[in-house]
Amino acid sequence: MPPDAQHLWRGPRWALAILLALLGMVGPFSIDTYLPAFPAISQALGATPVQMQQTLSAYLFAFAFMALFHGALSDSLGRRPVVLWGLALFTLASAGCALAQTTGQLVAFRALQGLSAGAGIVVSRAVIRDLFPPAQAQQVMSQVTIFFGVAPAIAPIVGGWLSVHLGWHSVFWFLTGVGVFLWLANWRLLPESLPPEGRQSIHLGHLLRGYWELISSPRFMLLALASGVPFNGMFLYVLSAPAFLGDLLGLAPQQFFWFFLCTISGIMGGAWMSGRLAGRIPPKRQIRHGFVIMLAMGLLNLGANLLFTAHAAWAMWPIGIFSFGWALMVPVVTLLVLDLFPARRGMASSLQAFVGSTANGLVAGVVAPLVMHSTALLATASLLMMCVGLVSWIYLHHRWPEIGRTATHS
């Protein structure tokens, strides 16, 4: 933490949390706002379903790839330049999407959006830990998670309204406006939390040694798996929503919001509780509570779907409570990741985001299509992905019992 960190942000912590949460919301907004416009874009550009899928895949692959580098660049150049350049490129890419005349152009600009959109969420985590000691950092991280949880609910509503009333181009003009607003807000408000004396060399050899140091650390990889993979126990249901809610539970599209309300309430509730517990109980106990809740809900969800025919009256609640458990533990695990290598917090955030993005991509492209048409298979896959994180944490806990016993004070 810089010696003058307490003077870098003089406003209330919740205001910084909102600023950083808005940075993190760029990624979800870039996906969820344009999904309702798929039919209109396909018709206007004469795009096949495969080509429309490419506009999503190009974004996701570019996002995951560049997530590897945003944090490392911020370790070398400072936090502010990476955020501001990322937002500038995102704004230009969004305008390019709005002006695209062919599917190829749209795919190219969507890829550029993906390359730039991850800067905010990766660097914001490092900024939080730069500025605050562990307990306060956990409170801010929890507040960011609360605000971040609203994005998946708002984005499709905004995108659907814009697409219907103003045409599909307006969705990307809206994202362009978001980029301009965020660039101005961060240029004016975001402090530089990494002093020059704390920066790393940008020399290629030095960067490669840093990546190898993190990748070869079993503690880092286990923590990254514990934080990144369990999210997909919930995300799987979000990806499978049309089949799960419409085909299996028999809900009309206008009733889907009950599911999203349930999961988002779980995320926001868990994040709020995480902030309340910051500094009051050891980090590892809070992580254990989160995993116990997810495990209990995963087993209950699987048992209920094996024994009974799924019904909307009860089938969504276990996923909402599962989301509560995930949001309770993930701010703590994220801080443990960042504190393993304090001199390379940006790089650690990058690699953590890459692990999570890779898991999300595999679930979206491989797992969800295989299991989305069976509630029992959905529940089984959800439980198994949570168990990847649980087993990672249990092994880490037994091999390095000191991790998470007490918060660090640096």
Side-chain angles (χ1 to χ4, degrees):
M1 217 171 38
D4 61 342
Q6 66 271 26
H7 302 299
L8 293 176
W9 182 265
R10 296 182 177 273
R13 286 200 300 266
W14 61 263
L16 178 63
I18 291 177
L19 181 66
L20 298 178
L22 290 174
L23 282 176
M25 289 165 65
V26 169
F29 256 78
S30 301
I31 297 174
D32 296 340
T33 48
Y34 101 115
L35 289 180
F38 257 41
I41 298 173
S42 177
Q43 183 177 6
L45 300 183
T48 65
V50 172
Q51 289 174 318
M52 289 305 301
Q53 184 63 35
Q54 288 174 346
T55 68
L56 180 58
S57 299
Y59 175 90
L60 291 173
F61 282 123
F63 185 98
F65 171 76
M66 197 60 197
L68 278 171
F69 304 105
H70 289 305
L73 290 172
S74 78
D75 284 339
S76 301
L77 304 175
R79 312 301 189 205
R80 271 177 60 91
V82 175
V83 169
L84 294 176
W85 276 106
L87 288 172
L89 286 175
F90 174 81
T91 302
L92 292 175
S94 300
C97 290
L99 297 171
Q101 301 296 311
T102 66
T103 308
Q105 292 175 3
L106 183 60
V107 169
F109 283 115
R110 285 289 292 166
L112 186 58
Q113 270 191 325
L115 290 173
S116 55
I121 191 168
V122 169
V123 178
S124 63
R125 294 171 179 170
V127 170
I128 292 171
R129 191 58 186 92
D130 287 343
L131 292 176
F132 299 105
Q136 292 182 23
Q138 184 182 330
Q139 291 171 349
V140 177
M141 197 82 73
S142 300
Q143 290 169 343
V144 168
T145 305
I146 290 174
F147 295 119
F148 180 78
V150 178
I154 297 176
I157 298 173
V158 172
W161 188 91
L162 289 172
S163 177
V164 169
H165 295 283
L166 300 175
W168 69 268
H169 299 86
S170 65
V171 173
F172 293 108
W173 286 124
F174 167 75
L175 292 175
T176 304
V178 168
V180 171
F181 168 78
L182 287 179
W183 191 93
L184 291 171
N186 282 274
W187 176 75
R188 177 70 179 85
L189 300 173
L190 184 69
E192 178 50 75
S193 61
L194 185 65
E197 61 271 18
R199 297 178 188 177
Q200 300 291 316
S201 169
I202 202 168
H203 186 270
L204 179 60
H206 185 80
L207 288 176
L208 291 176
R209 284 193 296 273
Y211 280 114
W212 176 248
E213 183 182 10
L214 269 65
I215 293 172
S216 61
S217 167
R219 293 182 300 168
F220 175 84
M221 295 307 297
L222 289 167
L223 281 171
L225 289 172
S227 64
V229 181
F231 170 75
N232 287 284
M234 163 188 59
F235 189 51
L236 173 65
Y237 281 92
V238 175
L239 292 168
S240 307
F244 171 61
L245 300 174
D247 300 339
L248 299 176
L249 299 186
L251 296 178
Q254 60 267 28
Q255 296 173 305
F256 285 11
F257 81 95
W258 287 110
F259 169 74
F260 292 102
L261 179 64
C262 185
T263 54
I264 291 165
S265 298
I267 291 173
M268 296 177 70
W272 177 84
M273 181 60 69
S274 180
R276 294 285 294 173
L277 293 175
R280 299 186 180 185
I281 64 174
K284 64 164 50 182
R285 188 187 301 176
Q286 188 167 329
I287 295 169
R288 182 181 67 194
H289 291 342
F291 273 116
V292 166
I293 292 171
M294 288 190 289
L295 178 62
M297 287 302 103
L299 291 172
L300 177 65
N301 188 38
L302 178 59
N305 281 286
L306 288 174
L307 294 173
F308 307 105
T309 301
H311 191 278
W314 58 262
M316 295 180 282
W317 288 107
I319 304 148
I321 302 174
F322 182 102
S323 304
F324 179 96
W326 174 80
L328 178 66
M329 69 92 182
V330 78
V332 190
V333 181
T334 298
L335 290 174
L336 292 180
V337 169
L338 298 177
D339 282 342
L340 278 179
F341 299 93
R344 299 187 184 276
R345 284 190 181 124
M347 184 178 286
S349 183
S350 274
L351 282 171
Q352 182 191 29
F354 177 76
V355 171
S357 297
T358 302
N360 296 348
L362 289 173
V363 170
V366 179
V367 179
L370 292 176
V371 302
M372 65 170 57
H373 299 294
S374 164
T375 57
L377 289 178
L378 278 167
T380 301
S382 174
L383 180 62
L384 288 175
M385 284 182 288
M386 188 283 302
C387 285
V388 172
L390 177 60
V391 170
S392 299
W393 173 251
I394 290 173
Y395 179 79
L396 182 81
H397 171 72
H398 286 285
R399 179 69 177 80
W400 293 278
E402 71 280 3
I403 293 181
R405 181 175 293 163
T406 57
T408 56
H409 298 285
S410 58

